[in-house]
Amino acid sequence: MSRLDSMLRRLTAQRDGLNWAAQQIADMPGEVLDMGLGNGRTYDHLREILPDRRIRVMDRVLQCHPSCTPPEADFLMGEAEPMLERLAAEGAPIVLAHYDFGMGIKADDVAEAARLSPLIARVMVPGGLIISGQPLVGFTAIAAPDSIPPERYLFYRA
């Protein structure tokens, strides 16, 4: 599979998974957390499908497209550990989290996801959903929507 086809498959799975997750949490109170703002495409999509939810976003730096800049109060800039600790201290009730941290080196990205998993667990409400491009630990894995190939995107319940 070409890198372009792989990227399209990943983005389609991400979109379909987020749309599915938004339906699943419709009757649950809480906020959304996007871990890894990047260019802001996912954040922009979350704003569109969850317009009445507070969406917190974290990344090391703010370098997204200008139209995708989150409000200052909702952007947590810095390393993931202190930002997740801050959210936990605030009691942020995260009902849906999207995990998209990584530098593209699989072994390092998997290790980082495992290291951050306990901190993510501290901010999740019971029954909340986590959609992730990397395997997480300590959560209940759930089946992906039928439109998403197995292992292309990972789904967890807190």
Side-chain angles (χ1 to χ4, degrees), residues 97-119:
H98 174 251
Y99 183 93
D100 196 22
F101 288 141
M103 301 301 290
I105 301 169
K106 188 65 174 172
D108 293 348
D109 293 345
V110 168
E112 179 181 46
R115 183 174 45 79
L116 293 175
S117 290
L119 293 170

Side-chain angles (χ1 to χ4, degrees), residues 38-92:
N39 195 333
R41 284 182 296 266
T42 303
Y43 170 68
D44 187 50
H45 188 70
L46 288 168
R47 287 188 306 189
E48 186 172 300
I49 64 173
L50 296 165
D52 298 324
R53 299 269 185 172
R54 182 176 187 186
I55 303 170
R56 309 269 195 126
V57 186
M58 65 175 59
D59 211 327
R60 289 181 176 115
V61 295
L62 181 62
Q63 58 186 12
C64 61
H65 187 277
S67 68
C68 301
T69 302
E72 187 176 331
D74 295 335
F75 182 63
L76 300 137
M77 185 166 62
E79 294 300 316
E81 292 92 340
M83 297 303 106
L84 287 165
E85 289 169 359
R86 176 176 153 192
L87 285 175
E90 289 176 13

Side-chain angles (χ1 to χ4, degrees), residues 79-155:
E79 294 300 316
E81 292 92 340
M83 297 303 106
L84 287 165
E85 289 169 359
R86 176 176 153 192
L87 285 175
E90 289 176 13
I94 304 300
V95 69
L96 172 61
H98 174 251
Y99 183 93
D100 196 22
F101 288 141
M103 301 301 290
I105 301 169
K106 188 65 174 172
D108 293 348
D109 293 345
V110 168
E112 179 181 46
R115 183 174 45 79
L116 293 175
S117 290
L119 293 170
I120 296 168
R122 289 181 55 206
V123 301
M124 297 300 300
V125 300
L129 296 176
I130 305 125
I131 313 302
S132 179
Q134 301 296 334
L136 301 173
V137 296
F139 299 103
T140 302
I142 58 175
D146 291 339
S147 65
I148 299 174
E151 304 301 314
R152 178 67 264 186
Y153 237 76
L154 305 169
F155 296 80

